[in-house]
Amino acid sequence: MPLQPFTLERYFAKHEFSARYLLSSSDCEPLPMTDLLAMASDGTAALWHDLTLAYTESAGHPLLREMIASIYRGLNAEDILTAAPEEIIYLFMNTFLEPGDHVVSTFPGYQSLYELARARSCRLSFWKPREEEGWAFTAADLEALLEQDTKLVVMNFPHNPTGYVPPAKEYEKMVRMATDRGALVFSDEMYRFLEIVPGTTLPAACELSDRAVSLFGLSKSFGLPGLRTGWLACRDGDILRNMQELKDYTTICGSAPSEILAMIALENRVRIITGHIERVRKNLALLQDFGKRLLVTSPQDLSQVTGQPAVFELIPPVGGSVCFPRLPGVGSTFDFCERLVNEASIMLLPSKLFEWDDTHVRIGLGRENFPEVLERFVRYL
Ligand SMILES: Cc1ncc(COP(=O)(O)O)c(C=O)c1O
């Protein structure tokens, strides 16, 4: 089966560099390179200064892999393979899955997490959240989807686009349930450490079971998507070996400057991520305030604001840098977003791009100019 276009990435390709205001970005405010370099230790500053632009080691710079492994309890450098985050998904799905395999995936979500399985003619079951219960993904719902021969369970917490993070006990139950049934867990943890509600950081899946693998990288929580640096943390050597063999046909190895810059970011992990979380929390408070302004007004007031009865329903995200409010008063959110980008040059993602309904939008909370863009959005409404 041929690969379907990646709907969300195509939409970004169309508008991201022409719209003046972005209200849907999932990455946190990208760091200027000079700021990142200023954080280098003597060791990484020397690596940067002496860098030669040669090919790099296919699995990743040994020191970078060591630094990555130190984030995880019980993992070593040889349990890490680096590549761009999206590339990791591609390498994993194309080496682990065979036609006919049964795959369960959180849904809605980042399309490649299930599209590659679909393209490999796998049998797909979508594990959907309960909006009325705060976008909860539950272990009970997962159990109902597991089959005798389920090969893979794909999870993504903090979840894009809802921001849901299950309680730790529930999450551990989900991982145990899947692995006890013989499935492998692919856990997309791209928004890890960006928990908005304090104390909700989950263990990495790869720490809970050697039948679980964890995807992470620098694009979202670190605000460094331009480095194109991610990794798979995995205690199964065969999985990593197979992925590395396919990587010879994609990028062969990582970018030499990115590897050193990634080390500098990892050295300063807490400092960098703390800045991003504070911004996300501030922006979320502004958005909630905006929501209240729309919710508490009378129908007449509302009609003055929007021309029709409109409300803004937000289930606050527990973690990550995005949320998925409902805008029931604007009609089709797909059409609304088209008008918004054409008339006000504000890019907002409609839920249709997630193959979800046509009443939600994804809002990104990680950018520095969020207050200004939100104000423009309110004015447009
Ligand atoms: C859940 C999730 N996984 C993976 C990715 C891919 O990350 P990158 O764009 O850095 O390759 C994204 C990007 O939006 C994402 O949201």
Side-chain angles (χ1 to χ4, degrees):
M1 209 184 285
L3 260 178
Q4 292 303 308
F6 199 130
T7 320
L8 175 144
E9 296 296 356
R10 285 297 91 214
Y11 198 81
F12 264 100
K14 184 170 166 200
H15 296 300
E16 186 175 9
F17 297 98
S18 53
R20 286 185 59 191
Y21 307 104
L22 304 177
L23 198 50
S24 277
S25 304
S26 58
D27 51 339
C28 290
E29 182 68 19
L31 259 62
M33 172 128 137
T34 42
D35 290 7
L36 186 63
L37 283 174
M39 294 181 203
S41 65
D42 290 347
T44 46
L47 287 173
W48 180 251
H49 186 259
D50 298 337
L51 181 66
T52 306
L53 297 177
Y55 281 109
T56 61
E57 288 193 34
S58 150
H61 193 297
L63 189 57
L64 174 61
R65 291 165 75 206
E66 223 172 83
M67 289 169 98
I68 294 169
S70 72
I71 299 177
Y72 303 96
R73 225 173 343 103
L75 270 76
N76 302 308
E78 56 270 26
D79 302 320
I80 307 297
L81 173 70
T82 66
E86 172 73 317
E87 185 183 4
I88 291 281
I89 300 173
Y90 184 86
L91 298 175
F92 174 83
M93 298 296 171
N94 280 300
T95 50
F96 187 74
L97 295 174
E98 299 292 340
D101 284 344
H102 182 241
V103 177
V104 176
S105 174
T106 42
F107 184 91
Y110 192 66
Q111 191 175 339
S112 53
L113 292 174
Y114 52 87
E115 195 65 58
L116 289 158
R118 184 144 65 189
R120 277 184 87 69
S121 303
C122 294
R123 292 173 290 130
L124 255 181
S125 300
F126 286 141
W127 176 17
K128 296 181 182 171
R130 297 166 176 252
E131 184 170 8
E132 65 290 356
E133 293 173 30
W135 288 123
F137 286 90
T138 69
D141 288 342
L142 171 61
E143 186 164 35
L145 296 171
L146 289 172
E147 294 180 8
Q148 281 298 334
D149 60 348
T150 300
K151 186 163 181 193
L152 181 68
V153 174
V154 180
M155 302 182 181
N156 168 222
F157 305 120
H159 179 245
N160 171 10
T162 65
Y164 183 72
V165 179
K169 284 269 168 301
E170 182 80 356
Y171 173 68
E172 284 166 22
K173 192 169 161 190
M174 293 166 180
V175 173
R176 207 175 329 113
M177 184 182 282
T179 54
D180 281 356
R181 297 277 197 99
L184 189 105
V185 171
F186 182 94
S187 175
D188 179 326
E189 298 164 6
M190 286 300 290
Y191 299 85
R192 189 160 183 245
F193 299 132
L194 207 58
E195 288 74 21
I196 299 167
V197 178
T200 56
T201 305
L202 297 173
C206 63
E207 295 172 330
L208 295 176
S209 164
D210 54 12
R211 293 287 297 153
V213 304
S214 296
L215 164 68
F216 194 19
L218 303 181
S219 305
K220 311 297 177 182
S221 315
F222 288 76
L224 295 166
L227 293 186
R228 310 306 302 124
T229 300
W231 56 84
L232 192 74
C234 162
R235 287 188 273 166
D236 185 325
D238 288 338
I239 289 178
L240 292 184
R241 225 174 345 270
N242 292 337
M243 289 172 65
Q244 209 179 327
E245 283 177 9
L246 183 58
K247 191 179 168 186
D248 292 339
Y249 288 93
T250 54
T251 55
I252 304 175
C253 62
S255 136
S258 288
E259 290 199 323
I260 311 301
L261 295 170
M263 288 184 216
I264 300 172
L266 286 164
E267 283 176 332
N268 293 281
R269 171 163 69 91
V270 174
R271 174 176 166 193
I272 292 174
I273 297 179
T274 303
H276 291 314
I277 295 180
E278 281 169 7
R279 190 181 302 106
V280 166
R281 287 187 182 137
K282 252 189 355 226
N283 289 341
L284 176 61
L286 279 179
L287 185 64
Q288 285 175 304
D289 183 52
F290 153 72
K292 269 187 227 131
R293 273 195 270 156
L294 277 191
L295 276 172
V296 295
T297 43
S298 69
Q300 285 106 307
D301 293 336
L302 280 174
S303 61
Q304 278 167 16
V305 177
T306 65
Q308 55 189 312
V311 286
F312 175 85
E313 296 171 8
L314 173 68
I315 295 168
V318 182
S321 49
V322 292
C323 56
F324 206 44
R326 185 193 283 270
L327 296 183
V330 302
S332 153
T333 50
F334 186 84
D335 295 343
F336 171 74
C337 290
E338 278 293 308
R339 291 198 300 276
L340 183 67
V341 75
N342 290 331
E343 294 167 14
S345 206
I346 298 174
M347 184 193 162
L348 192 60
L349 281 182
S351 49
K352 245 186 166 178
L353 301 185
F354 288 91
E355 299 178 61
W356 199 245
D357 60 17
D358 201 12
T359 68
H360 294 77
V361 292
R362 186 182 82 178
I363 293 187
L365 301 163
R367 293 296 181 92
E368 188 64 27
N369 69 349
F370 180 86
E372 182 202 340
V373 182
L374 182 66
E375 210 42 59
R376 286 179 184 277
F377 177 60
V378 173
R379 241 182 283 144
Y380 177 81
L381 274 178

